[in-house]
Amino acid sequence: MALQFILGGAGSGKTRYLYDQVIKESMAHPELSYLVIAPEQFTMQTQKEIIRLHPRHGVMNIDILSFKRLAYRVFEDVGVRLPVILDDMGKSMVLRKVAGMKKGQLGMFKRHLEQAGFISQLKSQISELYQYGITPDMLGNVTREVKEPLLSQKLLDLEVIYRSFGEYIQERYVTAEELLDILCRELPRWEKLKDSVILLDGFTGFTPVQYRLVELFMIYARDVLCSVTVDTRVNPYRESGIQHLFYMSKHTVCRLSELGRRQGVEKKEDVVCDSRPAWRFRESPELDFLEQNLYRYGRAVWEKPSASVQVYKGRRPSEEADYVCSQIQKMVREEGLRYRDAAVITGDLLVYGRELAHAFDQAEIPYFL
C-alpha cells in the first residue's frame, strides 16, 4: 500500500512517465495487474498510445479503464447482478412522468415543464446531485436554511422532483451515477485488486464518490500513482483559494494525501517533471514560456521574435473563420500536415461554432465540432 504523485505543468511529460513506468513494470512483474484509469473519453487514446510505446506492441497485464468500465469489470468478476441501467433518454422520460405527477406540489417549476430544454437541464442537475452524493434530505436541509425566497422555491421544487424520481426508479432501475456507489460496496470483495497497481491519469479532480474509490485503492491495492497538473514553483500540499489557477490540482493532492494518512498508507517521494523546456514544447521555447507564465502573477516578457505565436485581428467572426480556414489549408498543402493535426479552440462556441462550421463546409475541410 503506497501513494505516489507525478507532478508537473502541462506538457511536462507526466503521462509519458506513467506510460513508460507501467510498461517497464508490467514486463518485469507479469504476475501483477496494472490498471490505468483515465477519464471516459480518453481510454481509447490511452490504450492506443500504450500499445504504440510497448516493445511488443501489445498488453497482457495492463488494463486501460474508466471508473465506469472498472465497475462493470468488478461486477462481472464478483457476480453482482444489476437492475436495468437508466440512460439519459430514460432519465428524461422518468423525470417528465414524475414532474407531471407532482405538478400540483410544484411552484416555480410548474410553468416551465413544457418549456423546450427544461427537462434536459433538470436531468443534468439530478445527475450532478447523484455524482456528489446529495440526498433529498440534504437538499431539504439546505432549503430550510436559505433566506432568499426565489432560491428557496427552486430548491423546494427540485427536492420534490428528486425525491419522486428516486422513489419511482427504486428497485426497478439504477442510474449510471449510482454505479460507483455500488462499486464502493463491492470493490473490497474483488480479489484481483490485491495484486494490482493503480495508475490515475488525465483527471483535474475527483467527485466525492471517486475519492471514496481512490481511498479503497490505497487500502487494498499494492500501489496508487496519480498524475497531477500543477506549477512546480508552488507548494501543491498547501490549499489555496478557489481563484488560484491550480486550486483543483492542489485540492486533489491535499485530499488524497489526507486520505492516505488516515489509512496509514505509505507516501512515496513525488516524481516532479520540471525540465525546461517542457517535453511537449521542446521545439517551441515561446510556447514553453507561455505555459510557465499564462494566468500567473508576474511581469515576465518574451523579448525574442516568435514564429510559434501569431496574432490576427478580424473585423467580424466570419473573417476570423475564413483566416483559420486559409491557414489550415496552407498547413495541409504546403507543410504536409493532416487535417486531424489542427485544432481550433474558441471561448464562444455558440457564435464561432456556427461561423467555423460554415467556413469549413465551404472549404470542404472535414471537422468534428
Side-chain angles (χ1 to χ4, degrees), residues 17-34 54 61-62 197 199 223 225 268:
Y17 172 85
L18 270 179
Y19 292 173
D20 289 342
Q21 192 73 6
V22 73
I23 290 168
K24 184 177 75 174
E25 291 294 322
S26 67
M27 294 173 69
H29 303 284
E31 75 281 2
L32 299 181
S33 295
Y34 293 83
H54 201 290
N61 56 339
I62 303 174
V197 175
L199 301 99
D223 289 317
L225 287 79
K268 289 186 177 180

Side-chain angles (χ1 to χ4, degrees), residues 150-168:
L150 191 64
L151 178 58
S152 178
Q153 185 59 60
K154 285 182 179 180
L155 289 172
L156 190 62
D157 287 356
L158 185 61
E159 181 196 351
V160 169
I161 293 175
Y162 187 27
R163 191 181 298 277
S164 301
F165 177 83
E167 290 170 353
Y168 185 89

Side-chain angles (χ1 to χ4, degrees), residues 70-322:
L70 174 66
Y72 285 118
R73 174 73 59 83
V74 172
F75 297 157
E76 183 180 353
D77 287 352
V78 301
V80 174
R81 295 189 63 182
L82 291 171
V84 176
I85 305 294
L86 204 60
D87 61 11
D88 284 350
M89 181 60 72
K91 272 190 259 186
S92 296
M93 292 172 70
V94 172
L95 279 171
R96 190 170 291 281
K97 182 178 178 66
V98 299
M101 290 164 53
K102 298 292 181 179
K103 194 171 183 179
Q105 299 179 31
L106 300 178
M108 184 167 292
F109 285 0
K110 183 189 298 184
R111 57 181 178 271
H112 295 293
L113 291 179
E114 302 305 320
Q115 186 177 333
F118 180 76
I119 292 296
S120 178
Q121 288 292 328
L122 201 56
K123 178 208 70 181
S124 299
Q125 181 65 73
I126 297 292
S127 296
E128 197 158 347
L129 292 172
Y130 270 111
Q131 282 180 1
Y132 283 84
I134 306 298
T135 65
D137 289 337
M138 293 165 68
L139 204 57
N141 292 336
V142 172
T143 305
R144 285 187 286 274
E145 294 172 6
V146 170
K147 305 299 181 186
E148 169 60 45
L150 191 64
L151 178 58
S152 178
Q153 185 59 60
K154 285 182 179 180
L155 289 172
L156 190 62
D157 287 356
L158 185 61
E159 181 196 351
V160 169
I161 293 175
Y162 187 27
R163 191 181 298 277
S164 301
F165 177 83
E167 290 170 353
Y168 185 89
I169 68 170
Q170 191 175 19
E171 296 180 1
R172 283 194 279 185
Y173 307 104
V174 62
T175 64
E177 292 76 23
E178 290 177 289
L179 283 177
L180 297 190
D181 265 324
I182 302 171
L183 179 59
C184 287
R185 297 198 297 267
E186 302 297 339
L187 193 62
R189 296 172 49 204
W190 194 41
E191 289 296 323
K192 187 177 179 180
L193 186 61
K194 297 172 185 176
D195 292 319
S196 296
V197 175
I198 311 291
L199 301 99
L200 302 161
D201 184 47
F203 294 95
T204 54
F206 300 100
T207 63
V209 67
Q210 288 173 341
Y211 275 117
R212 284 162 51 201
L213 283 171
V214 177
E215 185 176 13
L216 291 171
F217 293 157
M218 287 191 277
I219 295 170
Y220 294 101
R222 283 177 172 259
D223 289 317
V224 175
L225 287 79
C226 180
S227 69
V228 181
T229 301
V230 66
D231 192 330
T232 54
R233 294 169 294 184
V234 303
N235 181 4
Y237 292 92
R238 184 177 178 182
E239 292 271 15
S240 59
I242 197 168
Q243 76 282 355
H244 192 278
L245 181 60
F246 295 102
Y247 161 76
M248 292 183 69
S249 299
K250 295 174 78 173
H251 178 71
T252 300
V253 171
C254 293
R255 180 78 184 272
L256 292 181
S257 299
E258 174 59 31
L259 292 174
R261 279 194 298 272
R262 192 166 70 190
Q263 298 298 339
V265 172
E266 177 192 352
K267 175 69 172 59
K268 289 186 177 180
E269 186 177 350
D270 296 336
V271 175
V272 180
C273 303
D274 59 355
S275 60
R276 291 295 168 186
W279 184 80
R280 186 185 300 159
F281 310 120
R282 60 190 182 279
E283 296 180 7
S284 179
E286 50 265 66
L287 289 181
D288 184 65
F289 175 85
L290 264 184
E291 192 281 320
Q292 293 182 75
N293 294 281
L294 193 63
Y295 304 126
R296 270 63 148 211
Y297 293 110
R299 297 184 179 181
V301 177
W302 180 261
E303 302 285 0
K304 303 173 188 176
S306 171
S308 298
V309 180
Q310 299 177 24
V311 178
Y312 170 82
K313 180 182 178 182
R315 285 178 294 181
R316 56 185 69 89
S318 59
E319 284 190 11
E320 295 177 67
D322 290 338

